[in-house]
Every structure is written in C-alpha cells, then in structure tokens.
Amino acid sequence: MSVWRFLARRLVASLFVLAGVSVLIFCLARVIPGDPARIALGPNAEREQVEAMRHELWLDRPLAEQYVRFVGGALRGDLGISLYNHRPVMETIRRTLPVTVELILAAAVLTALIGVPMGIVAARWRDGAIDNITRLISLLGAAAPSFVWAILLMLGFAYTLQIFPIAGRLSEAMHAPPSVTGLLLVDCVIAGQWAVLGDGLRHICLPALALSLSGIAQIARMTRANMVEVYDSAHIELARAFAFSEASMALKYALRPALIPTLTLFGLQIAALLGNAFLVEAVFGYPGIAQFGVQAILQKDLNGIVGCVLVIAAAFLAANVAVDLAVAFVDPRIRLGARRG
Amino acid sequence: MGEFKTALRRAWYRFSRNAGSVVGLAIVGVIVLAALFAPLITPFPGHAGGALDILNANHPPDGRNLLGTDLVGRDLFTRIIYGYRLSLFMAVVVLALTVPVGVAVGLAAGYAGGMTEAVLMRITDVFLAVPPLVLAMAIMGLLPPSLIYGMMAVSLMWWPWYARLAFSIARSLRQEGYVTAAEVIGASTWHVLLREILPNAMPSILTKMTLDVGFVILIASSLSFLGLGVQPPTPDLGSMVAEGAGYLPDLWWLAVCPGVAILLVILGTNLLGDGIRDLLEAER
Amino acid sequence: MRGLFHITLAGLIAAGIATAPARAETVLRTEETAPGELDPARVSKYSDGMLAFNVYDALVLPGAGTAQIEPLLAESWTVEGQVYTFKLRPDAKFHSGNRVTADDVIFSLNRMATMGTGFSFLFRNRVETAEAVDARTVRFTLKSPFAPFLANMARLPILDSKLVMANKKDGQYGAFGDYGQEWLMAHDAGSGAYRIESHNPQELSVMVKNKDYVLGVPDAAPDVVRLRYGLDAATIRAMISRGELDIASQWMAPEVKRALSSQPGMRLVNEYGLGQFYIQMNTKKAPLDDVHCRRALAYAFDYNAALSLLTINKTTVAGKPSRGPLPDGAMGADPNAPVFAQDMDKARAEQAQCKYKAADSKLEISWIAVVAIEERFGLIMQQSFAALGYPSDVVRLPYPLYTDRASKAETTPHFSQIYVNSITPDPDAVIYNMYHSQVAGTWQATSWLLNPEVDALLDKGRNTVDPAARATIYNDVRQKIIDLQPTIYGFQNVALFVARDTVDIPALQDPAKMRHVNAANFMFRQMLMK
C-alpha cells in the first residue's frame, strides 16, 4: 500500500471517529441540568431575557436541528461563542492550544532524553545498583498521577531549592516576541530573544518533567527490555570481539531496533499527555487550553466544552496518524495498515 | 487436595522470587486492611466526616496527629485512611461495572465479525478517540457532582479498553481448531462464547484488571483533584491534594501527605499486578 | 547565527535609546479573577468594575467616606419628582478627542437597558423618555418615582457613541448593529483617567494614564497599570513575594494572607462597609417554614467560629459581627443595634416553640464550589445545628447548578451562603434584591420570603424621594426582616488585600476616603506610587 493511500484511509477513518465524538459530546452537553442561557447572562438576568437568549442560542429547537447547525458552523471553523468569556471558542482555542502543544512537545523531548539513556544504562549494567535505581525511579514515575508529581516537584525545586520558578510561562519582566508559530520557545529563537528563551525554558522545565515522568518510566522499561535482548544476542558478542566502543555498539545495535516500539509507545502516550496536561497546567498556572477547558467545564459553557473536547480529539487522532507515518518512515519493512488505532 | 496445595506452593514460590511482588502485596495488604478496619485503627474516626476542631487547625505532623491536621483541625491520617476506603471502593465498583460490559461487547464483535464487528468496534473507537481523562472530565463537568456520577464517568471511559482486549482475543480464537470443532458439532453461540472463548481470554483479562486497580485510582483522584467527583466533606485523596496545593509551602503536609498516599497505593497495586501477571503468564 | 544576534542586539539598544522616557515610568501591577469584561454592559464582577471605574466615567460617583453622591461627568443635577436633569461638565472629552455630550449619555443608557446583561437590571424599564435638552443637558423622565435612580447612575459608564457606532458590526439591534459589542470587548470608548492599551480578558489588561483627564491625574499615580487575570494561588503568592505584583486581590485564603503580610515590604489594606456574608434559609421548606425554628438556628450558629476562620492576626480580621440585613453605614442601618451572637439558651427556647422536632428533619447546607471557605462555614453550621439535634448534609454546588436549583423553592437548599456587595451606594440594591417577591429565586433571594408587608415597604422605599423619609422606611423594613429571620446574618465582610509598600492606597487605608461600592476603591488615579 502506498503511503498516500494509507494516509487517506487513516484520515477518512479518523473523520468518522471525530463525527462520532461530536455526536457523543454534543448530546451529553445538551441533556444535562442547568440553564446555559441563564449562566451566560449573569446572576441578575430576568426571565424574559433568559428566554430570548435561549432562542438566540437555539436551545429551544430540537436536538437534531441544533446539531446540524453546530456541524455547519464547525466545518467553517466556527465553534460558537463561549458562554463564559463571550468570545469565539475558536479564537480562545487558537490562542491556548499552541501553549499546551509546546508543553507536550517539551514533555515528549524530556521523555526521550531521559527515558532512553536510562534504559540503556540499566541494561548495560543489568541487576547492578544503577539498574535497581532506574527500576525504582520508573516504578515511582508510573505510580503517581502527574498532579502529585507536579506538587512534589514544585515544593522541592521551586519553593525549597528555588532552582526553578514556581509557576507561569514567563517572568513578569519578560515580554514574549511576536507570535509566528505560537510556540513561545520557537518564536524566541526566530526573533533571537535569547533572554526570553532562557526564561521560558526555566518555566517549562518543571511542568514538562511532571508531565513526562510516567512516560519516562515506560520508555526506560521498554528500552531496557530491548537492550537486554540485544546485548544477549550474538552480533553484539561479535562486535565486542572486534573492539567496537560501547557507545557505538549501543547506538548501532540497540537503539535502532528500539526506536519503533518507542515511537509506538509515544503514540499511546499522547492520550495520557493530553489528559494530564490539564492537571499539570492547573498546578503550575500554565496558560494552556486546560485553563480554558477547566473553566468551561466549571461554568457549564456548552460551546466551550464541546469545542475543547473536539479539538483535543482531533489533535489526538492527528498525532496518531503522524506516529504511524513516522514508524513507516523509520522502518519501511513495516507494512502500512497492519497497525490499527 | 494435595495437588492443589502443591500448585499453590509452586505459585507462591514463583511469586515470591520477585521481591517487588512481595512488597506490592504487603503494601496493598496493609492498605486494604487499614481501609476495612478504619473505624478501629484511626485515632479520630469522627474526623472522617464534617467534624470541626478549629482550635487545632493547621497543626504540622506531631505525636498527636501523625500527619498533621487540616484547615478545620481534622486529623489528616484519619482522613487519608478513609480516603483509601473510598478509592478502593471506587476501583472495585468501576471494574465490576466495566469489565463485564467491555468483555461482552468485545467477544460479540470478535466472534460475530461482519456488521456487528464494524458497528461495535467503531463505537469503541469513538470512545477511545478522546483522551480518557478529557472525556471523563467533560462528562463530569456536565453531570451534577456526586460519587455515583463520578463512577459512571470513569466507567464510561473504561469499558472500551476491555472491549478492545476481548475483541482481539476472540478474533484470534475464532479460527482455532477447538472453536471450529465446537461449531461443527452444533454448539450454540452462547456455548462457544462462554465455554470455549471466554475461559481462554480470562488470564489476559484478569491480568489487566489487577493492573487497572491502580489506574482507576489514579484517574479518579485526577478527577477529584479538578473538583469533579466525590463531594466534601467525604475524605478523598485527590481533593485533599487539590485543597492543600493552595497552601504550599507553609502548610506543606496538606498536599504532600495525601499525594504520597496516592503514590503508595498505586505503587503497591502496580507491583502486585506485575507479580500476578508473571504468575498467570507462567501458568499458561 | 552570530551575525543575526548582533543585529538584533544593536536594534534593541537603538530602540531603547529612542524610547527612553525623561522620568522612569511607574507601573502598578495587580490581579483579579478572569475574565475581565471590558464592555460596560457586561460589568458584574469586581474585576469588571475595576476596568469600568478607570477606563470609563459615569455621570456621578459614589461619595468617599459617605453615602452621598459626588459629581463626575455631570457637574450638577436636579431631581423634581420623577424628572432627573443632569448638566454635563463643559470640558470633558473621550479618549478619542470627542466631547462628552448629552447624546452619549442617552446612547449609553439605551445600550445598557437593551442588551440586558451585567448591571442592566438597574436601568431596565425605568425611563419613560430621555431627551437631550442641549449638548450639555440631559433630562430623564421616569415611568414612576424611583429613588435609587441617581445612585444607580454611578454604574452607568458613558460611552463615546460616535466611536462605538463607527465600529459596529451587523447584529440583532437593528440600526445599532451589534451595539459595538465585539469591538468594545477589546477596545475602550471611555473618558476615564486610564486608556486601554491592550486587553485580553483571560490574561492581561494594560492601561496607560490619560494625560488629558478632565479631573487631572496626579503625577504620583501610576503611569501604567498591568491588571492580570485568573492567576492561581501559587503564582500570585510567588509574584508578590518577588515584587512582581503590587496588590493582590482579596480572594486569597486567610492562611496565605497571614503568611504574606508578615513578610517585609508587605502589608494588609482593607475595604469594608460594602457587603456582608449571609446564610439564606429557604422559608418554604420544613422545618424552616416555622419562624421559631429559623430563630433557633440563627441563635445556634457559632458566629465566633466563623470569624476565627477569618482572623489573620491579633489586629486584623476579615470580618466583623453583623447587625442585620444592612451593612453599617447604609441608609436605614442602625450602628447601635445589637450584633448577632450565639446564644444556646435562647436557641433551645425557640426550638421548644417550633412545631417540628429537630431530629425529624435533615437539613441541606450548600456551598458554592469555587468559594473554598464556604465549605468551612458549612461545617460550622453543621456542628452548630447538631447541638440543637439537627442532622445535616454539607453539599458543594457548582455555581451553575446552584443558580438552577435556586430558581424554584422546592429545589432551593435549606441553607445557601451568599456574599452580597453593594453595587451602588443605595440600600435598595442590597435589600430589594435579597427579599422582594419580584426577585425570589435569583441567586441572592433564596430565602423565598414572599412577604407582602416586606414587599410593600421595599416598594415604598423605591418610590419615596425624600431621603429622611426613605431612611425611616429602610429602618422599618430592616427590623421587620430581622423579626422574620429569613437569614442568618453571618458577618460584615472586610475585604483584605495584600499590598507591597511600593504603592499608597488612601481609599483602602483611610475610612474617610473609602467608597462603599464594589471596585470603586480601585480607581488607580487615586493610588500613589512611591
């Protein structure tokens, strides 16, 4: 199967799933108690105004009619007006999603940078002290929800040791460069604002670490398992006999085969990262989509909730397709389409 | 009887070879016992609810209050033990609700194939397309906050994973000789599903269940951390962390103690789950 | 790469030289809850009020240290029955340079009343005719006498109608399009002491001093104000400790205020006489439909325990005992009336006269999800009521669910906790919205009193123009309500703000300069940077 046909098939399947998600969340959002029109108007609204607002929001129409109108709008990139901040939901999402994406990317980078070497080291000195420490770290990493890690890291590294800032995305004195990509750190590099970049990096460290701990644990375990297999195999013995250096052996024989399962695991991790980002952003006051999402949920902002869930689902599906493509790219022997979901 | 004893001893031998599994068993055992006998072992059983002791509010951990007291003077140790009670109860209920439903859907889809498979598995895909925590949050945000709805929301996002698992097993077993043989001799669909396929799927399902106990606790506490789910003054580990987070670093014990409590219980169930998985895999 | 770096650096230095001001620019940094609503017709929260009082001017201003009304855009006014005539200042200008005219006033009132959001209930269905007698004179004829009208005008920001109409989009208001709603969410059309430089309702508003302000702005007032929104507790705390914030909002927990105020360079400033903490009792639900049970519970409530939760240190408490429905200083309040305090003997005596047995009824005590301290008040109620033998549940309600349940007497919880703050300097705004049958079922009127005598008095208070006569009416209705005890009067709210020593805030430091209206003390032109 060609890459294009594979891509097309995955995209069509994703669209069907997305349509299903939209029906699911849209119906859920309309059957619940509490009148969104009253909430949108504020606490002192009179009954007639509430009725007028209900009419304006189409809340007095049948569910199917509401849904068709919603889909019509969504296809044009219009997710309605937020009942909470009275702005187009799309505008808020466009502004906050890149912040969350940046945090997740940083977490992914940390996962790879810490997890893979940890696995290699553990496998090389198997059952030694380092291996046991690594095991303990990966056990603990997987054992606590990210918000617990966020709080422990905050207390340890921000409040007590004061190595990292406590919360936020940038210091008050720093001003973000003009947005090109929406990703602050990338924008800083483009604009050449190194001081801001440094400040942004310092702010992103703890949230990204809290977010990546469970992933680090899994990647380290998987890398270790793969490496152990490789170290036991014959060609490593041969390589050793030819006096290849340890590092180049690890790179050549162990890392490459480990890359594919690692990528696949990343695909699975994205769901967890997207969900946990909500918690970590809440702890660190990181101004991503979660802040809006949580407010939308608490304020019963129908359009906001539906918009956030749909966009997150779309991002998740897109990321999965991307991971599949990456896997195919890394190893063309893997038959496209053999992996599903 | 003797044979059973030997099998048990062999299983224990395998299990206890791994120190982690034994530690896990010990942690889970202590927590389950503490939760079960909470009224007997906690120093202030009355503090599990909405008790008030304002004069003793915000005390750091000491001899009287092992883990300190909260903002209204309740003993944190007592509340954490009662919080365990709730977490374990939720995990059991969620798994009891989701496993049968998910397995039924998965088996039906995997065995029947065709349209049934297409419809059931696409529905499953829809649920799996939203990151589980996000879906549960959205649902919880829309429903009135309560323990029941909390468990419903977590259950709603949980069954698809079992459907997926049961589906893949059923699909692979459909072509197996003994299944085909049963079909040939005219066994009913029910017989094939329940007597031939299900028993073979059980080890995988059981393994996933033991590992999932910790995961359910993790998700449930994440939801209550965001203020969705169990209602105060019922002690809940996630909401205790959320409340305490606002008082870092002065009243650090408010967030750290329940946070570490969550870490412990999940660590215990993960270790135990790993041990049981090794055991079941070795038996096969 | 290195080349690029050098060029950028050179550019930065050049830019720095070009814009360096003669005197260092003073910046005031503060924070409030999100979103910050800039559109005057959407003002309802404290943060919205802060924007409105600085970016916009109303015709009048709530008086400093008194219940009187001060002139602002109007230099004088006359009240003849239901005809209000305002004479505008000749020199007032909007930020656009346009003059403030009578047409702008009429436009602003119509816009507010038509849109129906925010404080529009103060103006809706009141005005029969509004006419511009000349460019500087505007005359309102009301449908019926309505004494709070003058005080309410303090909450009507005057918009630059030409600028708004030039920026209108298509919308539901006919010739007025969308009434400039979309544009006004991010831009200002005001005449206030500060201009909006940038506004993002979730994150930050930047305001700069209006050098041409009609009343003048002192040099010491901040040149720039940065108002942050929606920061979480940890961030606020870190920022103010590091000196990145000058004033923190009142919503921090007492424990955090205590920890911060003992740090060097920081102090607590306060604001009181604006509002109170009330516990509404649903008088349509057993056992609270019997006044004796209500009184018993009001006597049983541990007022001191509630205040002890609000105690910061020996000298500072975020509340003081309440004397009834009206806060001290309001028209009709009696500064010598006894304060409410726990008295278990009286509680038992009242309980004995109640037709219900305490143990037979399970009480539902609600608290609003975002206001964490209400949970603790709920627990105090639970403990207090248990002393009389009442079993109870403490229930957290998210705000949307609370307003929904409050809309019907059958679903309204037995107890609902509300903070009511004066939005105008008139007692009507507090007491009418809590007790009149007309508003029963809104978030603050959850006692479902539906008492014809109280209604009649409240209506009379509105229709009577003479201030002395009004004071008597509000005194009467206050006593009548206390007698009916539909509410447990928890405490008078004292809002505490942690402020750094970098800024002097006379309005929050000197009672004679304090204005008893929500957010009116955050007029930045009256703050002085050091």
Side-chain angles (χ1 to χ4, degrees):
Chain A
M1 202 191 317
S2 83
V3 173
W4 294 114
R5 265 188 65 196
F6 164 75
L7 190 63
R9 236 182 76 174
R10 283 302 307 264
L11 282 179
V12 169
S14 298
L15 276 180
F16 270 106
V17 171
L18 206 55
V21 173
S22 74
V23 173
L24 175 74
I25 191 69
F26 192 85
C27 292
L28 274 171
R30 308 283 147 154
V31 295
I32 31 128
D35 187 345
R38 177 173 288 281
I39 295 154
L41 280 171
N44 291 301
E46 291 156 30
R47 202 166 293 275
E48 46 170 305
Q49 291 167 248
V50 175
E51 284 310 312
M53 183 81 175
R54 286 183 62 81
H55 185 74
E56 197 190 322
L57 293 173
W58 284 49
L59 291 171
D60 52 355
R61 310 289 172 86
L63 197 60
E65 206 180 329
Q66 291 184 44
Y67 179 73
V68 169
R69 196 177 97 118
F70 166 77
V71 170
L75 289 178
R76 279 177 280 117
D78 173 14
L79 292 171
I81 302 283
S82 156
L83 306 181
Y84 151 67
N85 66 10
H86 311 295
R87 309 194 149 227
V89 171
M90 203 59 193
E91 181 194 309
T92 308
I93 289 176
R94 204 172 288 141
R95 191 164 44 77
T96 54
L97 187 66
V99 180
T100 302
V101 168
E102 183 171 61
L103 181 60
I104 287 175
L105 286 179
V109 169
L110 273 186
T111 310
L113 280 185
I114 302 177
V116 174
M118 220 163 93
I120 295 176
V121 169
R124 180 65 190 83
W125 291 278
R126 208 180 323 162
D127 294 324
I130 295 180
D131 189 20
N132 284 329
I133 292 171
T134 312
R135 251 158 107 185
L136 186 69
I137 293 176
S138 59
L139 265 175
L140 289 176
S146 49
F147 69 90
V148 170
W149 280 122
I151 281 169
L152 294 177
L153 290 173
M154 188 191 239
L155 186 64
F157 291 98
Y159 279 117
T160 312
L161 298 175
Q162 305 192 345
I163 300 174
F164 292 107
I166 292 167
R169 195 187 189 196
L170 268 186
S171 298
E172 192 59 13
M174 296 286 176
H175 299 292
S179 170
V180 181
T181 58
L183 306 179
L184 176 73
L185 300 178
V186 179
D187 286 347
C188 284
V189 173
I190 292 174
Q193 300 213 1
W194 310 111
V196 183
L197 178 69
D199 190 61
L201 279 173
R202 269 163 40 82
H203 277 84
I204 210 170
C205 272
L206 288 186
L209 188 60
L211 200 51
S212 58
L213 269 172
S214 73
I216 289 175
Q218 293 185 39
I219 299 282
R221 273 176 153 187
M222 172 168 284
T223 312
R224 181 188 179 276
N226 285 326
M227 292 293 290
V228 164
E229 218 167 275
V230 174
Y231 273 122
D232 285 349
S233 63
H235 56 276
I236 276 272
E237 293 296 327
L238 204 64
R240 236 179 228 146
F242 282 101
F244 274 102
S245 81
E246 284 288 337
S248 69
M249 273 192 327
L251 275 177
K252 194 162 182 170
Y253 296 107
L255 257 186
R256 282 198 63 140
L259 202 55
I260 288 161
T262 308
L263 268 175
T264 314
L265 191 61
F266 252 113
L268 293 173
Q269 274 288 305
I270 292 169
L273 286 176
L274 278 169
N276 287 335
F278 271 70
L279 303 161
V280 170
E281 285 184 10
V283 173
F284 285 101
Y286 213 73
I289 196 171
Q291 230 173 38
F292 174 68
V294 169
Q295 280 309 316
I297 286 171
L298 294 178
Q299 301 292 328
K300 216 177 138 56
D301 174 1
L302 293 190
N303 295 340
I305 297 176
V306 173
C308 278
V309 171
L310 274 185
V311 167
I312 289 176
F316 178 46
L317 289 169
N320 270 323
V321 174
V323 166
D324 280 357
L325 281 178
V327 167
F329 180 75
V330 170
D331 189 349
R333 283 171 309 173
I334 291 198
R335 209 157 46 83
L336 287 170
R339 213 181 75 84
R340 275 246 304 268
Chain B
M1 195 60 206
E3 201 177 307
F4 179 71
K5 246 183 181 168
T6 329
L8 209 62
R9 194 171 298 140
R10 202 174 54 219
W12 172 249
Y13 171 72
R14 268 211 198 97
F15 182 84
S16 61
R17 250 188 336 186
N18 187 341
S21 315
V22 180
V23 172
L25 182 67
I27 296 177
V28 173
V30 168
I31 289 177
V32 169
L33 286 177
L36 279 178
F37 298 105
L40 300 177
I41 62 152
T42 52
F44 302 93
H47 288 186
L52 205 57
D53 186 0
I54 290 178
L55 291 179
N56 280 315
N58 304 334
H59 266 290
D62 60 14
R64 180 175 176 273
N65 303 102
L66 278 180
L67 303 178
T69 63
D70 68 5
L71 297 163
V72 289
R74 293 174 296 203
D75 180 49
L76 219 52
F77 176 71
T78 305
R79 289 183 67 75
I80 285 173
I81 299 294
Y82 276 88
Y84 274 145
R85 223 180 192 195
L86 190 81
S87 297
L88 293 172
F89 172 72
M90 259 192 102
V92 169
V93 171
V94 166
L95 290 178
L97 284 177
T98 53
V99 174
V101 174
V103 169
V105 169
L107 288 184
Y111 183 66
M115 265 314 277
T116 320
E117 175 192 322
V119 171
L120 287 179
M121 292 324 284
R122 285 305 80 74
I123 293 177
T124 312
D125 280 348
V126 168
F127 278 88
L128 291 173
V130 189
L133 194 58
V134 176
L135 183 61
M137 262 188 295
I139 295 171
M140 283 302 296
L142 297 171
L143 293 169
S146 80
L147 178 61
I148 308 280
Y149 287 124
M151 292 194 291
M152 269 172 54
V154 180
S155 302
L156 209 55
M157 48 166 279
W158 221 270
W159 67 267
W161 300 98
Y162 285 91
R164 209 21 114 65
L165 180 68
F167 169 74
S168 60
I169 295 170
R171 199 172 53 167
S172 66
L173 291 182
R174 195 166 54 187
Q175 313 301 338
E176 289 283 332
Y178 59 94
V179 175
T180 326
E183 279 167 351
V184 167
I185 60 168
S188 72
T189 309
W190 284 111
H191 177 91
V192 174
L193 274 178
L194 295 180
R195 288 296 164 85
E196 307 294 343
I197 295 182
L198 185 61
N200 282 293
M202 272 326 266
S204 306
I205 295 170
L206 277 178
T207 306
K208 185 162 170 54
M209 277 174 72
T210 51
L211 285 168
D212 266 4
V213 172
F215 205 41
V216 174
I217 294 176
L218 191 148
I219 293 283
S221 66
S222 300
L223 284 175
S224 54
F225 175 77
L226 292 172
L228 309 164
V230 185
Q231 292 303 292
T234 310
D236 172 90
L237 300 174
S239 10
M240 283 157 84
V241 176
E243 190 179 44
Y247 301 95
L248 288 176
D250 320 281
L251 312 179
W252 56 269
W253 58 93
L254 291 182
V256 169
C257 292
V260 171
I262 296 175
L263 196 151
L264 260 185
V265 68
I266 299 176
L267 180 67
T269 51
N270 282 359
L271 286 171
L272 181 63
D274 283 346
I276 293 179
R277 180 183 54 196
D278 292 348
L279 203 64
L280 289 174
E281 273 172 9
E283 292 291 319
R284 248 191 292 171
Chain C
M1 207 62 200
R2 177 168 293 174
L4 179 71
F5 178 55
H6 281 156
I7 293 166
T8 322
L9 197 63
L12 278 177
I13 293 168
I17 292 166
T19 59
R23 177 180 62 87
E25 203 179 51
T26 54
V27 184
L28 177 78
R29 298 144 310 171
T30 182
E31 55 87 21
E32 252 293 336
T33 52
E37 295 286 5
L38 183 55
D39 183 337
R42 290 200 182 273
V43 173
S44 62
K45 302 184 306 300
Y46 206 93
S47 51
D48 315 335
M50 279 162 78
L51 288 167
F53 272 115
N54 286 290
V55 176
Y56 290 90
D57 285 326
L59 292 184
V60 295
L61 200 59
T66 69
Q68 300 298 309
I69 304 292
E70 282 178 9
L72 190 59
L73 284 179
E75 60 181 12
S76 65
W77 55 87
T78 59
V79 183
E80 293 153 49
Q82 50 207 79
V83 180
Y84 289 71
T85 310
F86 294 90
K87 191 82 184 160
L88 303 185
R89 298 180 67 101
D91 48 354
K93 273 186 189 162
F94 289 112
H95 300 151
S96 63
N98 294 336
R99 261 186 203 295
V100 179
T101 66
D103 288 330
D104 295 314
V105 177
I106 294 171
F107 173 85
S108 305
L109 185 113
N110 287 340
R111 182 174 188 274
M112 180 75 106
T114 310
M115 278 176 57
T117 46
F119 289 148
S120 67
F121 65 97
L122 296 173
F123 305 99
R124 266 173 95 82
N125 304 323
R126 292 278 160 234
V127 179
E128 180 75 47
T129 58
E131 52 182 319
V133 178
D134 59 51
R136 278 182 53 210
T137 315
V138 59
R139 181 184 296 148
F140 296 108
T141 308
L142 306 190
K143 289 179 175 160
S144 56
F146 183 62
F149 188 72
L150 181 61
N152 288 359
M153 288 310 278
R155 295 320 296 256
L156 182 73
I158 304 303
L159 292 144
D160 185 342
S161 58
K162 292 184 200 73
L163 187 63
V164 173
M165 293 317 284
N167 289 291
K168 69 170 203 269
K169 299 247 163 57
D170 290 341
Q172 63 200 100
Y173 303 111
F176 295 103
D178 70 340
Y179 251 131
Q181 277 190 70
E182 201 180 316
W183 190 76
L184 283 169
M185 272 183 198
H187 303 88
D188 89 65
S191 58
Y194 285 82
R195 280 186 297 109
I196 284 287
E197 191 176 78
S198 70
H199 175 74
N200 175 337
Q202 299 297 312
E203 282 171 23
L204 169 73
S205 295
V206 180
M207 288 169 256
V208 294
K209 205 189 248 178
N210 171 14
K211 300 257 161 42
D212 305 323
Y213 188 53
V214 65
L215 297 180
V217 191
D219 280 345
D223 296 313
V224 177
V225 177
R226 292 171 64 85
L227 171 56
R228 296 282 306 262
Y229 302 109
L231 298 177
D232 60 305
T235 313
I236 296 171
R237 185 175 181 159
M239 285 176 70
I240 198 159
S241 296
R242 284 198 305 253
E244 293 178 359
L245 266 183
D246 299 292
I247 311 171
S249 64
Q250 58 180 302
W251 315 115
M252 272 195 295
E255 288 82 358
V256 178
K257 288 180 186 167
R258 184 181 306 145
L260 282 176
S261 61
S262 58
Q263 288 182 17
M266 278 185 257
R267 68 191 194 282
L268 284 168
V269 291
N270 60 38
E271 183 180 70
Y272 53 85
L274 277 72
Q276 302 200 83
F277 170 73
Y278 302 96
I279 301 162
Q280 292 281 35
M281 295 189 262
N282 181 351
T283 59
K284 293 290 166 277
K285 237 183 200 171
L288 301 179
D289 51 354
D290 185 328
V291 68
H292 295 293
C293 274
R294 297 203 293 271
R295 285 189 195 139
L297 290 162
Y299 277 126
F301 181 66
D302 191 345
Y303 299 85
N304 281 335
L307 286 174
S308 78
L309 285 182
L310 302 171
T311 303
I312 307 295
N313 54 43
K314 281 200 183 67
T315 52
T316 316
V317 185
K320 52 184 185 175
S322 170
R323 300 176 201 279
L326 291 168
D328 286 357
M331 177 190 277
D334 177 3
N336 300 315
V339 297
F340 282 87
Q342 188 182 36
D343 186 335
M344 289 313 288
D345 293 333
K346 285 187 184 162
R348 286 192 200 92
E350 289 286 352
Q351 182 60 42
Q353 293 183 54
C354 178
K355 65 182 174 199
Y356 300 102
K357 273 210 202 69
D360 294 347
S361 16
K362 183 135 193 175
L363 303 174
E364 189 186 18
I365 301 168
S366 70
W367 60 284
I368 310 282
V370 285
V371 195
I373 200 161
E374 285 188 2
E375 184 197 358
R376 286 173 254 168
F377 295 144
L379 295 174
I380 292 176
M381 280 187 249
Q382 187 173 49
Q383 199 177 46
S384 302
F385 302 160
L388 278 183
Y390 283 101
S392 59
D393 282 326
V394 180
V395 181
R396 172 174 64 180
L397 293 179
Y399 186 71
L401 196 62
Y402 167 71
T403 50
D404 205 51
R405 286 192 55 184
S407 64
K408 286 194 214 75
E410 309 88 74
T411 51
T412 303
H414 283 103
F415 299 91
S416 28
Q417 308 180 37
I418 52 171
Y419 278 95
V420 177
N421 261 355
S422 311
I423 51 170
T424 79
D426 195 282
D428 176 80
V430 172
I431 204 169
Y432 187 97
N433 288 324
M434 281 181 67
Y435 295 113
H436 198 284
S437 303
Q438 201 68 47
V439 295
T442 60
W443 68 281
Q444 47 191 337
T446 44
S447 59
W448 294 93
L449 191 56
L450 310 181
N451 182 297
E453 276 178 74
V454 171
D455 286 355
L457 281 170
L458 288 172
D459 288 333
K460 206 169 145 204
R462 283 190 157 183
N463 302 337
T464 306
V465 178
D466 175 43
R470 288 191 82 206
T472 317
I473 294 166
Y474 284 107
N475 188 40
D476 290 349
V477 71
R478 178 182 62 81
Q479 284 176 350
K480 176 76 198 159
I481 291 171
I482 288 178
D483 192 46
L484 291 168
Q485 193 93 56
T487 308
I488 297 175
Y489 299 99
F491 53 84
Q492 308 199 45
N493 196 30
V494 177
L496 295 172
F497 304 82
V498 178
R500 291 192 71 86
D501 295 341
T502 46
V503 59
D504 208 25
I505 317 165
L508 299 178
Q509 289 157 196
D510 177 0
K513 295 192 171 141
M514 192 180 296
R515 299 174 200 272
H516 298 274
V517 165
N518 225 8
N521 291 312
F522 269 85
M523 280 192 280
F524 300 121
R525 66 181 161 98
Q526 302 193 332
M527 297 186 179
L528 307 167
M529 303 301 290
K530 289 190 214 159

